[in-house]
Amino acid sequence: MPNLTEAKIRPASFSFAWAKGVEDQVPAAKPAFAIAEDVISRLTLCSNVSSTEKEKNTPTYTFPAPQPKLESQWREMEWTEEQKASLMKTVSSYRPSCHEGTQARVLLLGPVGSGKSSFISSVQSVFNGRVTNRAMVGTSSISFTKKLQSFNIHGQKGEDPTGLVLCDIVGLGGGEMTGLTLHDILSVIKGHAPEGHKFSPDQPVRSETVGYVKKPGLKDKIHCVAFVVDASKILTYPKGLSTTFRLLRKHISDLDIHQVALLTQIDQICPETAKDVTRVYKSRIIRDMMNKAGDLLGMSTSYIVPVKNYSSELDLNVNNNVLLLRAVDHILQYADLYFQDNAPQHTGPKIDLGV
């Protein structure tokens, strides 16, 4: 396993790494989410080993010994065409409960190769009626996504766009410095980062950035964060990644943003689910991995949903569509809490009682 504990300190800045005690590097006087522009908080997740060394040292996931499946589903699910149609209608007709908001903007955050872009493409594929790769997907250990991209999820042909926007940014970590900092992540969430901004550790989002949004409105901000982790890598992620996730969650929570998580690549850890996705909630392996994902992220498993993205398939599968749509519905429920929590309070006109 590469040594990922080294944090480089730069003048007028400080670094975060996948290492224990990372919180101690944050100055107590100024929380990172409110830090001045001349002091940019670093969350540059990087490795100082070559990609060849990384491939040589990274352990591969091996399937555990077969376990008997559970008698009943540990989460209730209906695997029918009718359920798929019902979920599609729910997602398609969703509109924020706050009149000032027209779309729910959801930011996907996760390590390189966790399946963020694949999830976006898979969700859009469900509505397109065929497998499409709308978000560019890579296969290397270096993040394929380099900039902030917002994807409006279009409804079925002839229908209005849905009220959901999935936002993709560079992945956490990788074989080289990714350019993603805590400051930049929070700038995206607060709505300051312009669409298409290319992330670089030497060019953080600040007022001088081209396209910088000085006074972001509700439509510019992120309303929910969905963490994305790869089930087949849970056991081999760097030990300090949990600290990084918890640090991120703390600062995101301070902004009153609700968070959920997606557990991807479930077919890679459970052969039975790979054959038949309806077995996902009868799988002991996936249930156990959900618990490990909860430990990694520092969140209850009630916030986490398993998904199987489309990758090598050319045709859609109704059961896989149901699982993906349930994940989107799960996300929208928490995104809408933001609108409920931030709905303007209308007191109404004052009434002159003549006294």
Side-chain angles (χ1 to χ4, degrees):
M1 179 69 65
N3 178 14
L4 299 178
T5 60
E6 182 178 351
K8 297 182 179 179
I9 308 300
R10 300 188 180 190
S13 68
F14 45 90
S15 300
F16 293 85
W18 286 343
K20 293 183 179 179
V22 70
E23 297 97 328
D24 298 336
Q25 300 177 30
V26 183
K30 290 184 178 181
F33 60 86
I35 203 159
E37 287 185 353
D38 60 332
V39 183
I40 305 299
S41 60
R42 299 290 182 184
L43 183 63
T44 48
L45 308 179
C46 58
S47 168
N48 293 321
V49 299
S50 68
S51 58
T52 303
E53 289 176 310
K54 183 172 181 178
E55 291 173 4
K56 189 184 300 181
N57 297 329
T58 301
T60 56
Y61 183 86
T62 55
F63 287 115
Q67 302 179 35
K69 68 178 182 179
L70 301 170
E71 291 298 323
S72 59
Q73 297 186 114
W74 42 277
R75 281 185 185 168
E76 290 299 319
M77 285 282 287
E78 291 182 30
W79 306 96
T80 63
E81 185 70 45
E82 291 74 21
Q83 176 69 352
K84 187 202 82 169
S86 176
L87 285 167
M88 288 188 73
K89 183 177 179 180
T90 298
V91 174
S92 296
S93 61
Y94 169 79
R95 294 297 178 271
S97 55
C98 174
H99 294 302
E100 281 72 11
T102 58
Q103 291 178 308
R105 289 173 56 80
V106 178
L107 176 64
L108 303 182
L109 272 180
V112 173
S114 57
K116 298 184 284 77
S117 300
S118 293
F119 177 72
I120 294 172
S121 292
S122 296
V123 171
Q124 187 60 73
S125 294
V126 174
F127 285 95
N128 285 352
R130 57 188 177 86
V131 176
T132 56
N133 290 315
R134 188 171 174 212
M136 301 293 284
V137 179
T139 57
S140 67
S141 61
I142 299 175
S143 183
F144 193 85
T145 304
K146 302 294 183 184
K147 58 186 179 181
L148 172 62
Q149 292 180 285
S150 300
F151 294 90
N152 292 273
I153 301 303
H154 301 296
Q156 291 179 286
K157 193 172 183 180
E159 293 185 357
D160 294 332
T162 70
L164 173 65
V165 177
L166 295 176
C167 302
D168 197 10
I169 59 174
V170 61
L172 304 175
E176 297 180 4
M177 187 174 294
T178 67
L180 190 62
T181 67
L182 176 60
H183 170 86
D184 283 353
I185 291 173
L186 299 179
S187 293
V188 170
I189 292 172
K190 290 187 282 189
H192 292 301
E195 179 69 14
H197 175 75
K198 190 172 183 179
F199 297 96
S200 168
D202 298 320
Q203 296 179 340
V205 178
R206 55 201 324 170
S207 58
E208 293 82 8
T209 299
V210 176
Y212 181 84
V213 183
K214 295 182 179 180
K215 295 182 179 180
L218 195 62
K219 65 179 180 61
D220 304 305
K221 299 178 181 179
I222 294 298
H223 310 122
C224 179
V225 170
F227 289 100
V228 185
V229 291
D230 183 337
S232 69
K233 297 178 181 177
I234 291 285
L235 302 180
T236 60
Y237 277 137
K239 292 181 180 180
L241 180 57
S242 180
T243 302
T244 298
F245 275 131
R246 290 166 190 262
L247 182 65
L248 280 168
R249 294 199 62 231
K250 176 185 180 299
H251 289 298
I252 294 170
S253 295
D254 286 338
L255 297 176
D256 297 323
I257 304 296
H258 293 277
Q259 300 141 59
V260 298
L262 304 174
L263 183 68
T264 63
Q265 300 285 10
I266 55 172
D267 54 313
Q268 296 298 311
I269 64 169
C270 179
E272 293 301 312
T273 300
K275 296 175 185 175
D276 182 1
V277 76
T278 65
R279 299 181 183 181
V280 58
Y281 286 122
K282 286 188 176 182
S283 169
R284 295 177 187 272
I285 299 172
I286 293 177
R287 186 185 63 178
D288 292 344
M289 205 59 73
M290 289 272 287
N291 290 328
K292 293 184 185 300
D295 293 338
L296 176 72
L297 294 162
M299 65 167 56
S300 166
T301 54
S302 62
Y303 295 101
I304 307 172
V305 289
V307 295
K308 179 182 180 298
N309 293 330
Y310 287 109
S311 54
S312 60
E313 301 89 345
L314 295 178
D315 299 308
L316 299 178
N317 176 278
V318 62
N319 295 325
N320 200 43
N321 289 352
V322 168
L323 195 63
L324 285 163
L325 289 167
R326 276 294 293 267
V328 174
D329 183 52
H330 179 75
I331 291 171
L332 286 175
Q333 289 181 39
Y334 284 94
D336 203 62
L337 289 178
Y338 178 91
F339 296 106
Q340 295 176 34
D341 295 341
N342 293 274
Q345 301 297 317
H346 297 291
T347 57
K350 293 183 179 180
I351 300 176
D352 185 1
L353 299 177
V355 294

Short mmCIF file of all heavy atoms in Angstrom, two decimals, residues 274-305:
data_model
loop_
_atom_site.label_atom_id
_atom_site.label_comp_id
_atom_site.label_asym_id
_atom_site.label_seq_id
_atom_site.Cartn_x
_atom_site.Cartn_y
_atom_site.Cartn_z
N ALA A 274 -24.55 -10.31 -8.95
CA ALA A 274 -24.07 -10.06 -10.31
C ALA A 274 -24.97 -10.79 -11.31
O ALA A 274 -25.24 -10.29 -12.41
CB ALA A 274 -22.63 -10.52 -10.45
N LYS A 275 -25.46 -11.96 -10.91
CA LYS A 275 -26.34 -12.72 -11.79
C LYS A 275 -27.76 -12.18 -11.78
O LYS A 275 -28.45 -12.15 -12.79
CB LYS A 275 -26.36 -14.20 -11.35
CG LYS A 275 -25.04 -14.91 -11.47
CD LYS A 275 -25.15 -16.32 -10.89
CE LYS A 275 -23.81 -17.03 -10.86
NZ LYS A 275 -23.90 -18.36 -10.18
N ASP A 276 -28.20 -11.75 -10.59
CA ASP A 276 -29.59 -11.29 -10.42
C ASP A 276 -29.61 -10.18 -9.38
O ASP A 276 -29.46 -10.42 -8.18
CB ASP A 276 -30.46 -12.46 -9.96
CG ASP A 276 -31.92 -12.07 -9.79
OD1 ASP A 276 -32.27 -10.90 -10.05
OD2 ASP A 276 -32.72 -12.94 -9.39
N VAL A 277 -29.79 -8.94 -9.83
CA VAL A 277 -29.70 -7.79 -8.94
C VAL A 277 -30.82 -7.77 -7.89
O VAL A 277 -30.69 -7.11 -6.86
CB VAL A 277 -29.72 -6.47 -9.77
CG1 VAL A 277 -31.12 -6.17 -10.27
CG2 VAL A 277 -29.17 -5.31 -8.95
N THR A 278 -31.88 -8.53 -8.10
CA THR A 278 -32.96 -8.56 -7.10
C THR A 278 -32.52 -9.25 -5.81
O THR A 278 -33.23 -9.19 -4.80
CB THR A 278 -34.21 -9.30 -7.65
OG1 THR A 278 -33.90 -10.68 -7.86
CG2 THR A 278 -34.69 -8.67 -8.93
N ARG A 279 -31.36 -9.89 -5.83
CA ARG A 279 -30.86 -10.56 -4.63
C ARG A 279 -30.04 -9.62 -3.74
O ARG A 279 -29.51 -10.05 -2.71
CB ARG A 279 -30.02 -11.76 -5.03
CG ARG A 279 -30.79 -12.81 -5.82
CD ARG A 279 -29.93 -14.00 -6.17
NE ARG A 279 -30.66 -14.97 -7.00
CZ ARG A 279 -30.14 -16.12 -7.42
NH1 ARG A 279 -28.90 -16.44 -7.11
NH2 ARG A 279 -30.86 -16.94 -8.17
N VAL A 280 -29.92 -8.36 -4.14
CA VAL A 280 -29.07 -7.41 -3.42
C VAL A 280 -29.44 -7.32 -1.94
O VAL A 280 -28.57 -7.28 -1.07
CB VAL A 280 -29.12 -6.01 -4.09
CG1 VAL A 280 -30.53 -5.47 -4.18
CG2 VAL A 280 -28.23 -5.02 -3.34
N TYR A 281 -30.73 -7.27 -1.63
CA TYR A 281 -31.15 -7.11 -0.24
C TYR A 281 -31.35 -8.45 0.48
O TYR A 281 -31.90 -8.49 1.59
CB TYR A 281 -32.42 -6.27 -0.17
CG TYR A 281 -32.14 -4.80 -0.42
CD1 TYR A 281 -32.78 -4.12 -1.46
CD2 TYR A 281 -31.23 -4.09 0.35
CE1 TYR A 281 -32.52 -2.77 -1.70
CE2 TYR A 281 -30.95 -2.76 0.12
CZ TYR A 281 -31.61 -2.10 -0.91
OH TYR A 281 -31.34 -0.77 -1.14
N LYS A 282 -30.88 -9.52 -0.15
CA LYS A 282 -30.83 -10.81 0.53
C LYS A 282 -29.38 -11.27 0.69
O LYS A 282 -29.12 -12.37 1.19
CB LYS A 282 -31.62 -11.87 -0.26
CG LYS A 282 -33.13 -11.72 -0.15
CD LYS A 282 -33.84 -12.91 -0.78
CE LYS A 282 -35.36 -12.80 -0.59
NZ LYS A 282 -36.07 -13.98 -1.15
N SER A 283 -28.46 -10.41 0.29
CA SER A 283 -27.04 -10.73 0.32
C SER A 283 -26.41 -10.34 1.66
O SER A 283 -26.44 -9.17 2.04
CB SER A 283 -26.31 -10.03 -0.82
OG SER A 283 -24.91 -10.13 -0.66
N ARG A 284 -25.84 -11.31 2.35
CA ARG A 284 -25.13 -11.03 3.59
C ARG A 284 -23.87 -10.22 3.32
O ARG A 284 -23.49 -9.35 4.10
CB ARG A 284 -24.74 -12.34 4.30
CG ARG A 284 -25.92 -13.17 4.79
CD ARG A 284 -25.44 -14.48 5.39
NE ARG A 284 -26.55 -15.35 5.72
CZ ARG A 284 -27.20 -15.33 6.88
NH1 ARG A 284 -26.85 -14.46 7.81
NH2 ARG A 284 -28.20 -16.16 7.11
N ILE A 285 -23.21 -10.54 2.20
CA ILE A 285 -21.97 -9.84 1.86
C ILE A 285 -22.22 -8.35 1.67
O ILE A 285 -21.50 -7.50 2.20
CB ILE A 285 -21.35 -10.43 0.57
CG1 ILE A 285 -21.02 -11.91 0.76
CG2 ILE A 285 -20.11 -9.65 0.15
CD1 ILE A 285 -20.59 -12.61 -0.52
N ILE A 286 -23.27 -8.02 0.92
CA ILE A 286 -23.56 -6.61 0.66
C ILE A 286 -24.04 -5.92 1.93
O ILE A 286 -23.67 -4.77 2.21
CB ILE A 286 -24.61 -6.47 -0.46
CG1 ILE A 286 -23.99 -6.95 -1.79
CG2 ILE A 286 -25.10 -5.03 -0.59
CD1 ILE A 286 -24.94 -6.95 -2.96
N ARG A 287 -24.82 -6.60 2.75
CA ARG A 287 -25.25 -6.02 4.03
C ARG A 287 -24.05 -5.71 4.91
O ARG A 287 -23.97 -4.63 5.51
CB ARG A 287 -26.20 -6.97 4.75
CG ARG A 287 -26.81 -6.37 6.02
CD ARG A 287 -27.65 -7.37 6.78
NE ARG A 287 -26.84 -8.51 7.24
CZ ARG A 287 -27.31 -9.51 7.97
NH1 ARG A 287 -28.61 -9.52 8.29
NH2 ARG A 287 -26.52 -10.51 8.36
N ASP A 288 -23.10 -6.63 4.97
CA ASP A 288 -21.90 -6.41 5.77
C ASP A 288 -21.06 -5.26 5.21
O ASP A 288 -20.50 -4.46 5.96
CB ASP A 288 -21.05 -7.69 5.83
CG ASP A 288 -21.73 -8.80 6.61
OD1 ASP A 288 -22.69 -8.49 7.35
OD2 ASP A 288 -21.30 -9.97 6.48
N MET A 289 -21.00 -5.18 3.86
CA MET A 289 -20.21 -4.12 3.24
C MET A 289 -20.89 -2.76 3.43
O MET A 289 -20.21 -1.73 3.50
CB MET A 289 -20.00 -4.41 1.75
CG MET A 289 -18.76 -3.74 1.17
SD MET A 289 -17.23 -4.23 1.98
CE MET A 289 -17.03 -5.90 1.38
N MET A 290 -22.21 -2.74 3.52
CA MET A 290 -22.93 -1.51 3.83
C MET A 290 -22.51 -1.00 5.21
O MET A 290 -22.31 0.21 5.40
CB MET A 290 -24.43 -1.76 3.79
CG MET A 290 -25.01 -1.99 2.42
SD MET A 290 -25.50 -0.47 1.59
CE MET A 290 -26.97 -0.06 2.52
N ASN A 291 -22.37 -1.92 6.15
CA ASN A 291 -21.95 -1.53 7.50
C ASN A 291 -20.53 -0.98 7.49
O ASN A 291 -20.23 0.00 8.18
CB ASN A 291 -22.04 -2.74 8.45
CG ASN A 291 -23.47 -3.14 8.75
OD1 ASN A 291 -24.37 -2.30 8.79
ND2 ASN A 291 -23.70 -4.43 8.95
N LYS A 292 -19.67 -1.60 6.70
CA LYS A 292 -18.29 -1.11 6.60
C LYS A 292 -18.24 0.26 5.92
O LYS A 292 -17.43 1.11 6.28
CB LYS A 292 -17.43 -2.12 5.83
CG LYS A 292 -17.23 -3.44 6.57
CD LYS A 292 -16.31 -4.37 5.82
CE LYS A 292 -16.22 -5.73 6.52
NZ LYS A 292 -15.71 -5.62 7.90
N ALA A 293 -19.12 0.47 4.95
CA ALA A 293 -19.20 1.78 4.30
C ALA A 293 -19.66 2.83 5.30
O ALA A 293 -19.17 3.97 5.30
CB ALA A 293 -20.15 1.72 3.11
N GLY A 294 -20.61 2.45 6.16
CA GLY A 294 -21.07 3.36 7.19
C GLY A 294 -19.96 3.75 8.14
O GLY A 294 -19.82 4.91 8.53
N ASP A 295 -19.12 2.76 8.51
CA ASP A 295 -17.97 3.04 9.38
C ASP A 295 -16.97 3.96 8.68
O ASP A 295 -16.41 4.87 9.30
CB ASP A 295 -17.27 1.73 9.76
CG ASP A 295 -18.13 0.85 10.66
OD1 ASP A 295 -19.06 1.39 11.31
OD2 ASP A 295 -17.89 -0.37 10.70
N LEU A 296 -16.75 3.72 7.39
CA LEU A 296 -15.81 4.54 6.62
C LEU A 296 -16.26 5.99 6.56
O LEU A 296 -15.46 6.92 6.73
CB LEU A 296 -15.68 3.97 5.20
CG LEU A 296 -14.80 4.76 4.22
CD1 LEU A 296 -13.33 4.61 4.57
CD2 LEU A 296 -15.05 4.28 2.78
N LEU A 297 -17.55 6.19 6.32
CA LEU A 297 -18.09 7.53 6.12
C LEU A 297 -18.50 8.21 7.43
O LEU A 297 -18.67 9.43 7.47
CB LEU A 297 -19.30 7.46 5.20
CG LEU A 297 -19.03 7.02 3.76
CD1 LEU A 297 -20.32 6.58 3.09
CD2 LEU A 297 -18.38 8.16 2.97
N GLY A 298 -18.69 7.41 8.47
CA GLY A 298 -19.17 7.97 9.72
C GLY A 298 -20.63 8.33 9.65
O GLY A 298 -21.06 9.36 10.17
N MET A 299 -21.43 7.47 9.00
CA MET A 299 -22.86 7.74 8.89
C MET A 299 -23.65 6.45 9.04
O MET A 299 -23.13 5.35 8.80
CB MET A 299 -23.22 8.43 7.56
CG MET A 299 -22.98 7.60 6.32
SD MET A 299 -23.75 8.30 4.80
CE MET A 299 -23.08 9.95 4.72
N SER A 300 -24.89 6.57 9.44
CA SER A 300 -25.77 5.43 9.59
C SER A 300 -26.04 4.80 8.23
O SER A 300 -26.11 5.49 7.21
CB SER A 300 -27.09 5.87 10.24
OG SER A 300 -28.07 4.87 10.12
N THR A 301 -26.23 3.48 8.22
CA THR A 301 -26.51 2.80 6.95
C THR A 301 -27.87 3.19 6.38
O THR A 301 -28.14 2.91 5.21
CB THR A 301 -26.47 1.27 7.14
OG1 THR A 301 -27.34 0.89 8.20
CG2 THR A 301 -25.06 0.81 7.45
N SER A 302 -28.72 3.84 7.17
CA SER A 302 -30.02 4.27 6.65
C SER A 302 -29.86 5.36 5.59
O SER A 302 -30.78 5.62 4.82
CB SER A 302 -30.91 4.79 7.79
OG SER A 302 -30.33 5.92 8.42
N TYR A 303 -28.67 6.00 5.55
CA TYR A 303 -28.40 7.02 4.54
C TYR A 303 -27.77 6.43 3.28
O TYR A 303 -27.60 7.13 2.28
CB TYR A 303 -27.44 8.09 5.09
CG TYR A 303 -27.99 8.90 6.23
CD1 TYR A 303 -27.61 8.62 7.55
CD2 TYR A 303 -28.88 9.95 6.02
CE1 TYR A 303 -28.10 9.36 8.61
CE2 TYR A 303 -29.38 10.70 7.07
CZ TYR A 303 -28.99 10.40 8.37
OH TYR A 303 -29.48 11.12 9.41
N ILE A 304 -27.39 5.15 3.33
CA ILE A 304 -26.61 4.53 2.25
C ILE A 304 -27.49 3.61 1.42
O ILE A 304 -28.27 2.82 1.96
CB ILE A 304 -25.43 3.74 2.83
CG1 ILE A 304 -24.60 4.62 3.77
CG2 ILE A 304 -24.55 3.19 1.71
CD1 ILE A 304 -23.52 3.87 4.53
N VAL A 305 -27.37 3.70 0.10
CA VAL A 305 -28.10 2.81 -0.79
C VAL A 305 -27.13 2.14 -1.77
O VAL A 305 -26.21 2.79 -2.27
CB VAL A 305 -29.21 3.55 -1.58
CG1 VAL A 305 -30.34 3.95 -0.65
CG2 VAL A 305 -28.65 4.77 -2.30
#
